[in-house]
Amino acid sequence: MKIRLKQKKEYIGKEFIITPITGKKGLAGIVNELPGMSNEIKKGGFKGNEGEKLICSPGNKNILLIGTGAPLKEDLTRKLSKNVLTIIKEFKLKKPVIDVSGIEAGNDNVISNFIDYLFLNIYAFDKYIKSENRFAPESMIILVNDKKRFMRILNERKKISGIVDYVRDLINETPSIVTPEYMKNKALSVSEVRNIKIEVFDHKKLKKEKLNGLLNVGTGSEHKPLLVKMSYVPGKYKQTVAIVGKGITYDSGGLNIKPGSHMSTMKSDMSGSAVALGIINLASLMNLPVKIVSYLPLAENMPSERSYKPDDIITFRNGKSVEIFNTDAEGRLVLADAIIMASEEKPDFLVELSTLTGSIVSALGNSFAGVFSMNRDLLKKLEAAGERTGEYLWEMPLYKNYKSSIKSKIADLKNAGYGNASSIKAGLFLNEFSGSTPFAHIDIAGTAFIEKENEYFSTTGATGFGVRLIFNFLKSIS
């Protein structure tokens, strides 16, 4: 969608104008600017409270006032963007005009969030819907006072939003298309365009490198498991960050097959790998001065006569053995392979994202991801990036006394059967493979794919959660 910026004082068009009103001050400002609206505002009882709406027609203009309740900070800005897009869809406005002159006083991050959440709510995965049943605005005019400043921010956010949309498309696509091979080919395409070094570990190479988590999880599927390693090395950098993303392209549960209702949305179990691919793509696009190495452990978890089984024992590259208690706890097995490999290269930070546990959804819903780390510096940096982007993290404890729950009687560890606090215990399991590297596990099971709208999203499906969060974190350490 094309977005054009126009100076508010020069704009003469007659289109429907959506105008955010930032509480009492904003209301006084619009009345001062267009005195003819005073009676309509009074008659409509419009106070500028959050979510309040009123259509006015002063002179030859049609203006929809939308209240924010207070001067805009990041949280209110995100909600405003969602409300604006809801109005655009409700009125089917093909060429909406948005007057943002009242919010330009906010800092650059307020404006960034406003633009980001416009794009996030414009997005639709509609390639399988007949064209006559689709709706999307054709273009948008944004009225501003400081065109140069807004253009600078808009240009950056458009690039970021393009990568977020790319990631959402990967996650939303049907699992009959998105296989380990498909994800590998997407990574190869990115590496060619962005001049990113790529190494693909096929079945033979997985065996050679003793990446036995992937080998076992992928045995039940006709689509062979793969590990894709991508390296972005800028001309100058001081920090190296490894990003690991879970890449189960479809999770049936394996021999511990999921009930039918629990299998829905399991195409999104590769969200972590999609995000890891998106982040390295974005870092290269934006010339970020941080070395990034992304690891995509890719497998499909299916039942067959070849499937790995409960009671199997897998020995990993670092010598640790794991008893298989449940084949539907497969993500931590493929992640263990990638985390071991990443930690061997001694990056400054290792961040892993995965749709790992249902219990994190019970704990935090779809507005927070759980973050687990024993490194306070890394933890605080990630939480701050979450606050800045609206991709919120909530610290969960890696309580050492719970480690007894992940121990097996016949192996070093077991992959499930932990009892309560299973999200924490899964984090402890992953931590066993990170060595001394500063490590954070982010459980995005509730935030990567939503089935109901929330305070920031009017759209459902893949959210792209993690791309803006990690990019913001990377910028903060560069």
Side-chain angles (χ1 to χ4, degrees):
M1 184 192 66
K2 187 174 182 181
I3 294 180
R4 290 178 292 160
L5 300 183
K6 290 186 178 280
Q7 294 285 150
K8 182 180 176 181
K9 62 184 178 182
E10 298 171 359
Y11 183 70
I12 309 174
K14 296 181 181 180
E15 295 94 341
F16 195 98
I17 301 174
I18 300 169
T19 304
I21 300 298
T22 53
K24 290 181 180 180
K25 187 175 180 181
L27 191 56
I30 195 72
V31 170
N32 184 57
E33 181 186 336
L34 296 166
M37 292 178 63
S38 181
N39 287 337
E40 289 184 85
I41 289 171
K42 204 171 192 180
K43 188 176 178 181
F46 183 83
K47 304 290 185 186
N49 296 324
E50 186 181 342
E52 232 183 332
K53 296 191 284 280
L54 180 69
I55 295 176
C56 298
S57 302
N60 64 350
K61 296 179 183 290
N62 288 304
I63 297 177
L64 190 150
L65 305 179
I66 177 168
T68 67
L72 290 175
K73 293 187 178 179
E74 282 84 349
D75 176 63
L76 279 176
T77 304
R78 297 167 196 139
K79 292 176 182 177
L80 172 64
S81 291
K82 176 199 167 181
N83 289 338
V84 166
L85 258 296
T86 300
I87 288 165
I88 289 170
K89 292 173 184 176
E90 180 185 342
F91 287 91
K92 289 189 164 45
L93 302 176
K94 288 285 187 180
K95 298 179 180 179
V97 179
I98 306 171
D99 179 359
V100 302
S101 58
I103 70 172
E104 282 186 278
N107 60 39
D108 283 6
N109 200 50
V110 166
I111 297 173
S112 294
N113 273 269
F114 179 77
I115 296 168
D116 281 357
Y117 283 84
L118 279 182
F119 282 123
L120 287 167
N121 282 286
I122 286 169
Y123 171 88
F125 185 73
D126 55 10
K127 66 180 282 188
Y128 296 108
I129 298 173
K130 288 184 179 179
S131 57
E132 61 265 28
N133 295 325
R134 300 177 189 169
F135 169 75
E138 295 170 1
S139 63
M140 183 181 292
I141 293 173
I142 297 181
L143 304 182
V144 298
N145 290 323
D146 187 345
K147 191 174 177 180
K148 186 176 179 180
R149 176 195 183 202
F150 208 97
M151 181 63 79
R152 171 178 56 81
I153 299 170
L154 176 62
N155 286 339
E156 178 193 56
R157 305 324 290 182
K158 280 171 76 173
K159 291 176 184 177
I160 294 169
S161 294
I163 300 297
V164 173
D165 285 356
Y166 172 84
V167 168
R168 294 172 86 179
D169 282 346
L170 283 176
I171 299 166
N172 280 323
E173 186 56 90
T174 173
S176 60
I177 291 175
V178 181
T179 62
E181 189 77 11
Y182 179 88
M183 288 293 291
K184 177 201 80 173
N185 290 335
K186 288 292 184 181
L188 286 168
S189 297
V190 168
S191 69
E192 289 168 5
V193 172
R194 300 282 177 232
N195 195 27
I196 292 169
K197 184 181 176 183
I198 187 167
E199 186 176 5
V200 177
F201 294 76
D202 60 12
H203 201 266
K204 184 178 178 181
K205 207 165 182 180
L206 291 175
K207 278 188 172 181
K208 181 182 176 183
E209 299 296 333
K210 299 179 182 178
L211 301 176
N212 294 322
L214 276 159
L215 286 168
N216 277 272
V217 171
T219 53
S221 172
E222 64 177 339
H223 303 291
K224 297 299 181 187
L226 298 163
L227 177 75
V228 175
K229 176 185 176 184
M230 306 176 74
S231 303
Y232 160 68
V233 185
K236 292 183 179 180
Y237 66 91
K238 292 183 179 179
Q239 303 267 22
T240 299
V241 178
I243 309 291
V244 172
K246 178 183 171 185
I248 301 298
T249 57
Y250 193 75
D251 182 18
S252 70
L255 289 180
N256 290 111
I257 196 163
K258 296 176 185 287
S261 61
H262 288 212
M263 233 178 276
S264 175
T265 76
M266 281 300 103
K267 66 181 183 178
S268 67
D269 216 16
M270 42 63 72
S271 296
S273 274
V275 170
L277 175 57
I279 289 165
I280 199 165
N281 190 352
L282 181 57
S284 178
L285 175 65
M286 305 294 279
N287 297 311
L288 198 67
V290 179
K291 179 182 175 181
I292 298 165
V293 187
S294 282
Y295 295 82
L296 284 59
L298 304 165
E300 189 178 60
N301 188 25
M302 299 293 284
S304 78
E305 72 278 4
R306 303 184 305 275
S307 295
Y308 78 123
K309 305 168 183 68
D311 295 333
D312 279 348
I313 294 177
I314 299 173
T315 301
F316 283 81
R317 178 184 173 95
N318 66 350
K320 290 194 176 184
S321 59
V322 176
E323 176 193 2
I324 303 306
F325 190 88
N326 189 317
T327 63
D328 194 23
E330 82 299 326
R332 61 206 67 178
L333 302 175
V334 304
L335 288 169
D337 281 339
I339 290 168
I340 291 168
M341 290 204 73
S343 64
E344 285 175 353
E345 296 197 4
K346 305 294 183 186
D348 295 290
F349 298 111
L350 198 173
V351 181
E352 171 271 319
L353 302 100
S354 53
T355 47
L356 200 67
T357 66
S359 57
I360 203 69
V361 186
S362 299
L364 300 178
N366 66 11
S367 296
F368 290 83
V371 60
F372 305 74
S373 182
M374 291 182 177
N375 186 284
R376 302 307 301 176
D377 178 46
L378 175 57
L379 184 69
K380 293 303 178 188
K381 284 180 167 65
L382 288 168
E383 286 180 325
E387 290 289 332
R388 290 190 292 267
T389 59
E391 296 192 337
Y392 293 125
L393 301 177
W394 192 265
E395 182 187 357
M396 301 290 284
L398 285 174
Y399 186 48
K400 291 181 180 179
N401 286 354
Y402 283 171
K403 285 181 72 171
S404 59
S405 296
I406 67 174
K407 301 296 183 183
S408 164
K409 293 180 180 178
I410 58 172
D412 297 320
L413 304 167
K414 59 182 179 179
N415 80 323
Y418 301 156
N420 296 326
S422 59
S423 290
I424 296 169
K425 293 167 185 176
L428 285 166
F429 178 92
L430 293 176
N431 205 62
E432 290 286 312
F433 298 89
S434 63
S436 59
T437 302
F439 171 65
H441 155 56
I442 302 175
D443 194 335
I444 58 174
T447 55
F449 194 97
I450 60 174
E451 296 181 81
K452 293 180 181 178
E453 69 175 68
N454 62 19
E455 64 271 32
Y456 298 153
F457 281 88
S458 60
T459 54
T460 56
T463 62
F465 185 103
V467 176
R468 294 179 311 109
L469 164 76
I470 301 301
F471 182 71
N472 194 288
F473 157 70
L474 292 169
K475 279 185 72 175
S476 74
I477 66 167
S478 66

